[in-house]
Amino acid sequence: MAPDAVDLRSDTVTKPTAAMYARMATAPLGDDGLDGDPTVVELEAFAAEVLGKEAGLFVASCTMANLLATLTQAARGEQILLEAESHMYMAERGAATFTGVFHAPVQGTLGAMDLDLLRSALPGGSSKLRTAMIALETSHNNASGAVLPLEHMAAVRQLADEWGVTIHLDGARLFNAAEHLHVAPGAIAAYADTVSLCLSKGLSAPVGAILAGGRPIIDEARRFRRMIGGQQRQAGIVAAAGIEAISVMGHRLGEDHARAQKLSFLLNTLSPHLSATIPQTNIVQVDVSTTGHEPKVWAAELAKEGVYVRPWAKERLRCVTHRHISDDDIQHTYDAFRLVAMRLPPRAMAKL
Ligand SMILES: *Cc1c(COP(=O)(O)O)cnc(C)c1O
């Protein structure tokens, strides 16, 4: 990929900022598995405070944070309920092969589970699986970065309380949701017992994620983290970047959202051949099915113009804005789409 390529594949491609490198170079370090790494300890306390929880745990990835949330809140032979297109269902349900916890999908709209379907799934039905936890996701990756309305989260909280089950919030992009709703991240996490946060997406840290929740759950998660090989040593070197990510990087996400909106607007002027979702946050999905060319063909042609996107399902491309995407890059992306649209003559769509 050329250095001036426009990389819209994901916000995970973001590199650390200069301020992160500076913090990393001077962070006090220790053995986090022995008597604690002071920088990790600081990050965990700071993240917990920002997320409005008692305690935090620094982990290698958001996938690991979600796995620990499941291990601490559901037992073998129980089920967790989650939206059918959620990341925890689509991309992480292989965890069941270790946890023995069944992932039961509930259909939803724009990432929000249908509340009637959720209510009827809670008792476990003829499966006789006891429901231990409900998992929510905001912003919702597959729903093109849609943000759960707080009213929806409150309604799910009420159902969870009625049934005595916990709620885990997959908040990989929680700061994007907070930016969209103009509330603090903690105001969203307040509806959940545990919350995960990815530090290495739009927040630009090189690696890492946080799981936050009540102290007993986080103590237990720390125990499980050790069992799955997630305990690290001088992890402060990366936790230092995480502190920078949480303290300053959330403030600029509005720029990414504005550029995603601009991109969506421009691409929709190319219709009827393309149809872009209107984003609430930083993810735009572009339906190319009416062009009669597959997403992977579009992605390959766009790459020739220096624009990298990801084929998403059978009909879509996914474009994610982030810190390395400028206004000029949005214009360049639009130009590339226009060129490729001219190069790929419209075809009748093959029946899928
Ligand atoms: C990216 C993502 C994850 C996984 O994060 P990793 O840090 O890559 O493991 C989990 N949930 C959602 C919603 C995500 O977008």
Side-chain angles (χ1 to χ4, degrees), residues 12 60-64 66 87-88 92 137 139-141 170-173 196 198 200-201 208-209 318:
T12 55
S61 65
C62 202
T63 301
M64 187 183 281
N66 291 337
H87 199 280
M88 282 182 71
E92 300 173 35
E137 177 177 323
S139 68
H140 196 289
N141 188 37
D170 178 355
R173 294 190 182 82
S196 57
C198 193
S200 66
K201 289 186 170 162
R318 174 193 195 237

Side-chain angles (χ1 to χ4, degrees), residues 35-306:
D35 48 6
D37 175 294
T39 306
V40 171
V41 170
E42 183 188 342
L43 169 63
E44 290 177 344
F46 177 46
E49 185 192 323
V50 168
L51 297 170
K53 301 296 178 205
E54 244 174 9
L57 184 69
F58 182 49
V59 294
S61 65
C62 202
T63 301
M64 187 183 281
N66 291 337
L67 171 62
L68 293 173
T70 302
L71 284 169
T72 50
Q73 293 171 90
R76 183 166 286 277
E78 293 184 326
Q79 70 175 354
I80 59 177
L81 301 177
L82 64 194
E83 199 274 329
E85 301 246 302
S86 65
H87 199 280
M88 282 182 71
Y89 184 67
M90 301 288 283
E92 300 173 35
R93 69 178 184 270
T97 59
F98 313 117
T99 61
V101 175
F102 188 76
H103 293 228
V106 175
Q107 295 299 321
T109 305
L110 290 175
M113 285 180 273
D114 181 289
L115 290 174
D116 291 326
L117 294 178
L118 176 61
R119 188 179 286 109
S120 50
L122 272 158
S126 53
S127 77
K128 304 293 180 213
L129 283 159
R130 199 185 83 81
T131 303
M133 184 177 94
I134 298 169
L136 298 175
E137 177 177 323
T138 196
S139 68
H140 196 289
N141 188 37
N142 267 318
S144 201
V147 175
L148 295 178
L150 295 183
E151 296 75 13
H152 174 78
M153 296 188 67
V156 173
R157 180 77 261 176
Q158 199 177 340
L159 278 174
D161 289 344
E162 273 169 37
W163 284 87
V165 310
T166 63
I167 296 179
H168 171 63
L169 176 60
D170 178 355
R173 294 190 182 82
L174 179 66
F175 278 51
N176 295 86
E179 169 63 32
H180 174 71
L181 293 173
H182 302 296
V183 299
I188 305 175
Y191 296 96
D193 297 280
T194 53
V195 56
S196 57
L197 169 68
C198 193
L199 302 172
S200 66
K201 289 186 170 162
L203 298 182
S204 300
V207 288
I210 294 289
L211 178 69
R215 178 130 357 239
I217 291 185
I218 296 303
D219 286 348
E220 196 59 1
R222 195 177 293 278
R223 203 171 67 80
F224 277 118
R225 187 187 67 172
R226 174 78 171 81
M227 290 182 205
I228 61 173
Q231 178 173 289
Q232 301 178 107
R233 302 300 178 172
Q234 286 74 38
I237 205 157
V238 276
I243 294 172
E244 182 72 16
I246 293 178
S247 53
V248 310
M249 298 306 288
H251 302 305
R252 54 155 310 285
L253 293 176
E255 284 179 39
D256 298 344
H257 298 183
R259 292 196 179 99
Q261 291 225 352
K262 182 75 193 289
L263 179 63
S264 159
F265 173 82
L266 289 174
L267 294 181
N268 279 324
T269 66
L270 291 172
S271 45
H273 298 314
L274 295 176
S275 172
T277 54
I278 296 169
Q280 293 181 338
T281 56
N282 66 329
I283 303 176
V284 180
Q285 291 181 356
V286 187
D287 187 335
V288 295
S289 61
T290 51
T291 68
H293 298 276
E294 285 179 33
K296 66 170 191 279
V297 172
W298 269 91
E301 291 298 317
L302 287 166
K304 290 181 193 162
E305 303 301 326

